[in-house]
Amino acid sequence: MPDFPEDLQLQRFLRNEPRTDGGTYQGKSVVVESYSTDQLLDPIEGLRDVYGILKPVEPFGMHILPAVAHYHSQRRGDWQCGLISSAPPGMEIYGGVASFAGCIQYSTNVDCIAHALNQRFALAAKIATAVLYVHKSLRSNTVLMFERADARSSRKFPNALGEPFLSGFMYARPNHAGSWQAKNPLFPDEFDIYRHPDRRGHQPAARFSMCHDVYSLGVILLEIGLWRRAESAIQLQTSSPDRTPSPDCESSPEEPDKVLAKRAQNLKESLVNIAQSLRVNMGQKYQNVVMMCLNIGENEEIGSEKYIKRVLEKVEDLSLAMH
C-alpha cells in the first residue's frame, strides 16, 4: 500500500464534509477523501478495490470522480487511508459550499434565487446516474458540486447549478461483499436520515443492498424538490419530538429493538408525508419518482439496478421535457 504521496498538497478544507479536502497532486487539481482505518470494514483490501473500480470511470458520463492514487499512512498518530480523485477538467469546486448539502444550507442562510425546474430536474438525473454502483453512504454531503472555472458569474452558483459528482465511495462495496451488520460506531448519527429503516439502529435488520441506495436517492431527490435539508423539513413538519424522532438523535444501545424499529418507520413515514407536497412545485411526475424511491422494499432487491434505471429514465424524461 503506497505511503502518503510527497507531491500531494492539501490546499483547502471543504466545509460540510469533514473527511474531504481539495488539493493538487502532480500539478493537477484533486479531491482527497481520508478515513481512519477504524472507520472501514476492510481498509487495505477495500481501498484497493474502490481504487481499481474508480480509476477508469468517465466523470461526465457517470458523474463520479476518477481515482488517480491511494495511500495508507500514519499521520498525527493515527493510521489513515486516503483516496485521491481527479477534479473534472476545466472545472472547480463551488467556493465555500463544496457539496449539495452546502448549496442548500447557503440558500437557507442567504436570500437566494429559486433555481429553475429544468436545472433541478437535470441535477436529479445526474445524481441518479451515479447511483448505479452500491454506494452505502449516499447523502447530500457526498454529492460534490463543480462549475466551470471560466464561467460568467451568471452561470455560477448561486445563480445557476453546476455539475454534481458523487464521492464517499470508501464505504461502497459490491452486493456480494461484506457489510457492517452492527451500526458502525464512527458513522455520523446526523446522516441516519438517509438510511433505509432496515439499516438504522445499533443492530441493522438487513445486510446492505442496492435497494437501500435507492431509498437514500429518494431522500436526496426530496431535498432537491424542497430545496431544503430533509432534517430541516421534518423539524418544520412536527413540533413534537414524540411524534417523529430527531434524525440527529441516536437512541441508546439498551433501547429495545422494537422501539428503534418503530422510530425508524416513523421517520420514513414523515419523509413520505412531506414528499406528498412536491407536486405543487415540482409536479406530480417528480413526486411519483420520489415516492417510488422512498417506498422501495426488500422485494425489489434482485432487480434494484433495473429499479434505479427506471428512476433515472423518469427523471431524465422530466429534464428533457423542460428543454
Side-chain angles (χ1 to χ4, degrees):
M1 177 69 67
D3 201 354
F4 189 87
E6 293 182 359
D7 49 354
L8 174 62
Q9 300 293 325
L10 300 181
Q11 295 179 328
R12 181 174 54 191
F13 179 80
L14 302 182
R15 282 177 277 174
N16 302 301
E17 183 48 64
R19 290 185 296 267
T20 307
D21 290 284
T24 59
Y25 175 66
Q26 297 180 345
K28 296 182 179 180
S29 296
V30 295
V31 172
V32 183
E33 299 175 56
S34 59
Y35 299 79
S36 168
T37 55
D38 293 336
Q39 294 175 284
L40 304 173
L41 190 63
D42 49 357
I44 306 300
E45 183 179 351
L47 179 60
R48 287 174 179 156
D49 289 347
V50 171
Y51 170 73
I53 291 169
L54 298 184
K55 184 178 180 180
V57 303
E58 199 290 305
F60 291 104
M62 301 175 68
H63 290 278
I64 296 172
L65 300 177
V68 295
H70 62 291
Y71 63 87
H72 180 227
S73 65
Q74 189 172 22
R75 305 188 69 207
R76 305 182 186 91
D78 182 29
W79 280 97
Q80 292 186 350
C81 287
L83 184 69
I84 306 171
S85 302
S86 176
M91 306 196 81
E92 61 184 9
I93 204 162
Y94 283 8
V97 295
S99 67
F100 173 55
C103 292
I104 300 177
Q105 192 62 47
Y106 179 91
S107 302
T108 303
N109 296 337
V110 179
D111 187 13
C112 185
I113 63 172
H115 297 98
L117 283 182
N118 65 321
Q119 292 190 46
R120 286 200 265 177
F121 286 152
L123 177 64
K126 292 169 182 175
I127 294 174
T129 299
V131 187
L132 291 175
Y133 178 79
V134 178
H135 188 271
K136 244 183 184 178
S137 60
L138 184 62
R139 57 189 191 272
S140 55
N141 292 69
T142 58
V143 179
L144 300 182
M145 301 297 294
F146 286 78
E147 58 196 0
R148 293 208 62 84
D150 58 358
R152 301 189 304 271
S153 59
S154 61
R155 302 294 298 171
K156 289 190 173 187
F157 186 80
N159 300 307
L161 295 175
E163 296 287 332
F165 293 88
L166 203 55
S167 67
F169 279 88
M170 292 292 286
Y171 287 104
R173 302 291 285 146
N175 269 329
H176 64 273
S179 173
W180 287 99
Q181 192 65 27
K183 181 181 183 295
N184 182 348
L186 296 179
F187 198 88
D189 292 336
E190 64 186 285
F191 300 131
D192 203 55
I193 196 170
Y194 296 94
R195 296 193 191 114
H196 189 279
D198 290 344
R199 288 295 299 171
R200 294 201 190 106
H202 299 279
Q203 294 291 332
R207 288 171 60 87
F208 202 95
S209 71
M210 191 176 281
C211 74
H212 298 136
D213 269 341
V214 175
Y215 179 88
S216 302
L217 174 63
V219 179
I220 292 179
L221 296 183
L222 174 63
E223 292 180 320
I224 292 174
L226 299 172
W227 207 252
R228 180 181 292 276
R229 296 292 301 274
E231 176 184 357
S232 174
I234 286 180
Q235 290 172 348
L236 285 176
Q237 185 204 45
T238 176
S239 59
S240 172
D242 294 328
R243 179 180 170 191
T244 303
S246 174
D248 61 354
C249 180
E250 183 70 23
S251 305
S252 67
E254 293 77 20
E255 191 160 7
D257 291 342
K258 289 184 179 180
V259 176
L260 289 172
K262 180 62 176 176
R263 288 192 174 194
Q265 190 60 35
N266 286 346
L267 185 54
K268 174 188 173 180
E269 290 174 1
S270 293
L271 293 173
V272 170
N273 289 336
I274 293 170
Q276 292 174 0
S277 67
L278 287 175
R279 63 180 179 272
V280 177
N281 293 323
M282 301 293 287
Q284 185 66 53
K285 290 183 178 179
Y286 187 88
Q287 176 181 303
N288 292 344
V289 172
V290 175
M291 299 288 279
M292 178 179 168
C293 293
L294 293 179
N295 287 319
I296 189 171
E298 287 298 323
N299 58 317
E300 284 91 11
E301 179 176 351
I302 295 177
S304 51
E305 184 172 341
K306 294 181 179 178
Y307 204 88
I308 292 180
K309 289 180 178 178
R310 284 175 55 199
V311 171
L312 177 59
E313 289 173 359
K314 292 177 181 294
V315 178
E316 283 182 334
D317 288 344
L318 289 171
S319 180
L320 292 173
M322 299 299 295
H323 288 285

